Amino acid sequence: MSEIKVNSIKGVGASTAAITVNNTDGTCTANLTNKPNRNLIINGAMQVAQRGTSSTASGFGSIDRWQFSYSGHDNPITQSQINVAPTETGAGTSGFRNAFRITNGNQTSGFGTTDYFQFQNMIEDQDIANSGWIVNDSNSNITISYWIRSSVAQEFFGFVETYHGDDWMYGWSTGVLTADTWTKITKTIPGRSNLTWGNDNGAGLLVAPITLWGTNYTDNSVGNDVWHQYFSSSRTPDATSTWWTTNGATVDITGVQVEVGSVATDFEHRSYGQELALCQRYFYMHANGSESAAGSGGSGLCPIMSGAWYNGSNFNGVVTFPTRMRAAPSIYKVEGTDFFSVISNDSVDTNDSISANRVSTTTASLWISGNASGTIGHGGLARTHSSSARIGFQAEL
């Protein structure tokens, strides 16, 4: 047998292929290793941050599709989007320009037994089911790869966890990371005979490339690089406390890719527009007061919808989403005194709150109320009236 590398195959586009030649009978087989649409992770290059570039919230607070949860802290931990310079060896020289950063607060009481953080992305059930991974076959694999950098030398643990049927986890170690150095992690994960998947829009595979858990959640009997059943008290082996007890410590991650196969191929770089459209299935920022429309007459004035006064204190209108969302979303909003306004009858009425009345996967009916006052049946334009105001829709897993 011998192998020949070629850069493209007619009809496939930009791909790298390994062609295996059988020296006995001359037959050839081609194994494409750089197919388009192979990354099951959305926003793996950390480009899109519709909610904002920094937050101390636990949960979805910054970069789209990535949930950062933490608890047991004395001072908040910050999640943020950072820039990566093209000269940074590793992630930068591999073409990444953004990363997700976790910045520690001052945890004066130390690393407690119930303290933790977890950074994760949930892949939709039907996307796993249709990916080509034969999940109940130990000879069928997925491969996860990513770049990680910590400001302190420490070992972290990552894992994937199934959400359809029984809860199973497959974990790994990053090894002890060299401080302030980008390191690429690659793990190949085989299927398992008892794994099952649905074909719906529910939670499928949780991918948590970096976690840190107190001893209430860890057990040194948990092995790495093997499947084990999920138990709250044994998610990973015991973790080192150095990062948690270092004030201002950071850990950065980018270039997360999950693909079918036993080889980590080059990262599938998608345009910002492509990544944004994929993200908007799960979260859509409709109106952001900090992004005032050109010619709107002042800061903080971003159009929300046209509509009419349903009665003297409620203005009603409809918004349409740019893509069909995963499920009927809930409203995401940042509201306060005079955060919104309605232009009607040659006057501006400021008001305080907005709510969703009827919502589908494609449209939502919104009500503006709270100190609102208008004339029944008269039309108008609703808009944000503060640079802090936000209106969005979320259908996250």
Side-chain angles (χ1 to χ4, degrees):
M1 293 284 188
S2 58
E3 185 175 271
I4 303 171
K5 294 284 187 178
V6 297
N7 291 326
S8 63
I9 292 179
K10 187 176 181 181
V12 174
S15 301
T16 299
I19 300 178
T20 303
V21 180
N22 189 318
N23 292 329
T24 302
D25 60 14
T27 59
C28 301
T29 58
N31 177 30
L32 294 180
T33 59
N34 201 16
K35 297 177 288 186
N37 302 315
R38 67 192 179 281
N39 191 359
L40 298 176
I41 292 291
I42 295 173
N43 206 23
M46 314 300 170
Q47 297 167 269
V48 180
Q50 294 184 81
R51 293 176 178 88
T53 57
S54 182
S55 173
T56 56
S58 176
F60 292 102
S62 181
I63 295 180
D64 279 56
R65 298 298 300 122
W66 291 100
Q67 184 176 10
F68 174 70
S69 301
Y70 68 96
S71 185
H73 54 287
D74 300 298
N75 288 279
I77 300 175
T78 302
Q79 54 173 299
S80 61
Q81 181 191 53
I82 64 166
N83 294 325
V84 176
T87 54
E88 293 181 31
T89 301
T93 54
S94 296
F96 298 101
R97 296 298 169 261
N98 295 107
F100 191 111
R101 169 164 287 183
I102 303 165
T103 304
N104 195 18
N106 189 11
Q107 314 309 342
T108 54
S109 61
F111 190 40
T113 60
T114 60
D115 298 350
Y116 76 90
F117 76 65
Q118 179 163 305
F119 175 71
Q120 67 184 49
N121 188 308
M122 181 69 79
I123 301 175
E124 202 169 322
D125 203 355
Q126 58 192 349
D127 290 339
I128 290 291
N130 293 283
S131 67
W133 183 31
I134 312 303
V135 297
N136 60 352
D137 182 354
S138 61
N139 295 310
S140 182
N141 304 283
I142 58 169
T143 298
I144 179 171
S145 55
Y146 55 96
W147 288 95
I148 185 171
R149 175 178 63 183
S150 173
S151 64
V152 298
Q154 177 168 332
E155 176 186 34
F156 294 95
F157 297 104
F159 59 80
V160 297
E161 181 181 350
T162 64
Y163 267 66
H164 187 92
D166 292 336
D167 228 351
W168 285 80
M169 304 176 71
Y170 187 101
W172 61 85
S173 166
T174 64
V176 177
L177 300 175
T178 301
D180 299 316
T181 301
W182 284 109
T183 301
K184 188 171 185 180
I185 305 298
T186 300
K187 287 294 171 180
T188 295
I189 301 168
R192 193 178 193 279
S193 61
N194 66 334
L195 299 185
T196 60
W197 248 268
N199 192 20
D200 54 43
N201 66 345
L205 186 71
L206 182 147
V207 179
I210 178 170
T211 66
L212 187 65
W213 294 94
T215 54
N216 269 24
Y217 310 109
T218 65
D219 187 332
N220 274 332
S221 67
V222 175
N224 287 317
D225 303 315
V226 292
W227 285 102
H228 63 90
Q229 196 160 11
Y230 168 84
F231 293 104
S232 178
S233 60
S234 55
R235 305 176 193 216
T236 71
D238 292 345
T240 306
S241 63
T242 308
W243 190 94
W244 189 273
T245 56
T246 302
N247 185 22
T250 61
V251 60
D252 307 327
I253 188 168
T254 192
V256 185
Q257 181 153 285
V258 174
E259 57 192 308
V260 176
S262 57
V263 176
T265 66
D266 292 344
F267 185 83
E268 181 185 2
H269 289 277
R270 294 188 284 246
S271 71
Y272 179 88
Q274 289 174 300
E275 215 69 73
L276 175 63
L278 292 171
C279 290
Q280 286 175 333
R281 175 171 170 78
Y282 305 92
F283 180 82
Y284 163 54
M285 183 67 79
H286 177 69
N288 185 336
S290 68
E291 299 175 351
S292 303
S296 60
S299 63
L301 307 180
C302 181
I304 300 173
M305 63 188 179
S306 58
W309 288 97
Y310 177 77
N311 55 38
S313 58
N314 289 281
F315 183 84
N316 181 225
V318 174
V319 300
T320 300
F321 311 142
T323 189
R324 183 181 294 275
M325 301 194 74
R326 182 190 65 85
S330 60
I331 189 171
Y332 166 91
K333 56 186 177 179
V334 179
E335 58 187 10
T337 303
D338 293 342
F339 267 37
F340 307 102
S341 61
V342 176
I343 304 173
S344 180
N345 292 339
D346 199 27
S347 64
V348 177
D349 177 71
T350 57
N351 29 74
D352 306 338
S353 62
I354 191 166
S355 58
N357 182 18
R358 292 178 175 85
V359 181
S360 74
T361 57
T362 56
T363 58
S365 172
L366 299 183
W367 292 86
I368 286 186
S369 57
N371 293 328
S373 179
T375 302
I376 297 175
H378 285 209
L381 171 67
R383 62 187 184 182
T384 61
H385 201 76
S386 166
S387 59
S388 299
R390 305 283 189 276
I391 297 295
F393 300 89
Q394 50 194 4
E396 300 282 6
L397 287 158

